[in-house]
Amino acid sequence: MAKFSPPRAPARLAASTAAPGVPTAATGRAQPLALAAAGVTVVLWASAFVSIRSAGEAYAPGALALGRLLTGSLVLVAILLIRREGLPPRAAWPGIAVSGLLWFGGYSVVLNWGEQLVDAGTASLVVNIAPLLMALLAFRLLGENLAPRLLTGMAVSFAGAVVVGLSMAGGGSTSVLGVLLCLLAAVAYAGGVVAQKPTLAYATPLQVTTYGALIGAVGCLPFGWQLVQDAAHAPLSATLNMVYLGVFPTALAFTTWAYALARTTASRMGATTYAVPAIVVLMAWLLLDEIPGPLTLAGGVLCLAGVAVARSRPRRSRLPRET
């Protein structure tokens, strides 16, 4: 009698469901690459704040989001064709659609709008609740574990983000609508990441990013006429900043994010983004001659310390090597 063997899971799905804490040669090599990819994402997303500040003076929120997504989509589609990666499987499309509409499209429009109504410090403070929402959603929907180190690190980083936000906040009145828009952006950000995570078991990071950006661009098409009008009157520097946002913080950074997210949990990746405020402070210092005060520097150190704690792993007793 022939021996029955269950059907084999896809390679990506099998790799993602491997027993936690069991080191393999493949995962050992992938960890440094995933950490490097997360670092690229954080740096480029931090640089986006500087570019949005410049481009947002000439482009409306929806027009800026559409121009950024169209530019990023062109770059991503070109790379996809060169690598000959076709359409993702049917199982990946629900997550791609949700993340494309929520994260690529909705988050960009709402955040651009919110930052026109509140100062940068208040906006960064409100949006930085996204990693906390991400961890709770991943725990509830994806069954991820809320480890004590992760929660402690996120608490430390959030405290640092509060310090940075308060130190960078301007003296003007705060718009209630602006705060609500930034809160809505944080919800869209967290929901998009949690929807994207299981999709990476079926599709490549490049496929998930490319089609997510395309779906986000389609969702922003109602702002097309506004984009044409703004581009006709915008200075060259603002348009170049919009192109930069599409090529680097969108096309490159979202791809490296998806690569790293496929190799860790959504909660841990969310905690990594708490390094963004600290890098923004450093970039503003180097590029805009905005010298940070002692309180801002202290908040940045707290952000980085919390990320280090959240990304660390508890020490495990070594198991005897199998022969």
Side-chain angles (χ1 to χ4, degrees), residues 301-318:
V301 171
L302 278 178
C303 289
L304 295 177
V307 171
V309 173
R311 297 285 303 186
S312 64
R313 295 180 181 273
R315 293 183 178 180
R316 299 176 182 270
S317 58
R318 293 185 178 181

Side-chain angles (χ1 to χ4, degrees), residues 223-294:
F223 303 104
W225 179 242
Q226 182 68 54
L227 174 62
V228 173
Q229 290 182 321
D230 290 349
H233 301 92
L236 179 60
S237 59
T239 302
L240 291 177
N241 273 285
M242 182 179 67
V243 172
Y244 171 83
L245 288 169
V247 175
F248 293 99
T250 301
L252 178 57
F254 274 84
T255 303
T256 52
W257 166 276
Y259 176 87
L261 181 62
R263 289 155 179 80
T264 186
T265 64
S267 303
R268 288 170 64 85
M269 280 300 293
T272 304
T273 61
Y274 273 123
V276 170
I279 299 177
V280 169
V281 171
L282 179 61
M283 287 186 171
W285 187 0
L286 297 177
L287 302 178
L288 303 177
D289 292 330
E290 296 179 356
I291 301 177

Side-chain angles (χ1 to χ4, degrees), residues 30 33 40 52 71 73 97 117-119 121 123-124 132 135 137 158-159 177-178 201 228-229 245 267 276 312:
L33 293 177
V40 170
I52 289 175
T71 304
S73 297
L117 301 176
V118 298
D119 54 75
S124 63
L132 296 173
L137 287 175
F158 184 73
L177 177 59
V228 173
Q229 290 182 321
L245 288 169
S267 303
V276 170
S312 64

Side-chain angles (χ1 to χ4, degrees), residues 170-255:
S173 60
T174 299
S175 168
V176 176
L177 177 59
V179 172
L180 292 177
L181 288 170
C182 292
L183 179 61
L184 182 59
V187 174
Y189 172 20
V193 172
V194 173
Q196 187 187 67
K197 170 60 179 175
T199 302
L200 292 165
Y202 303 98
T204 67
L206 181 59
Q207 288 175 324
V208 172
T209 305
T210 301
Y211 292 104
L214 286 171
I215 291 174
V218 171
C220 293
L221 283 180
F223 303 104
W225 179 242
Q226 182 68 54
L227 174 62
V228 173
Q229 290 182 321
D230 290 349
H233 301 92
L236 179 60
S237 59
T239 302
L240 291 177
N241 273 285
M242 182 179 67
V243 172
Y244 171 83
L245 288 169
V247 175
F248 293 99
T250 301
L252 178 57
F254 274 84
T255 303

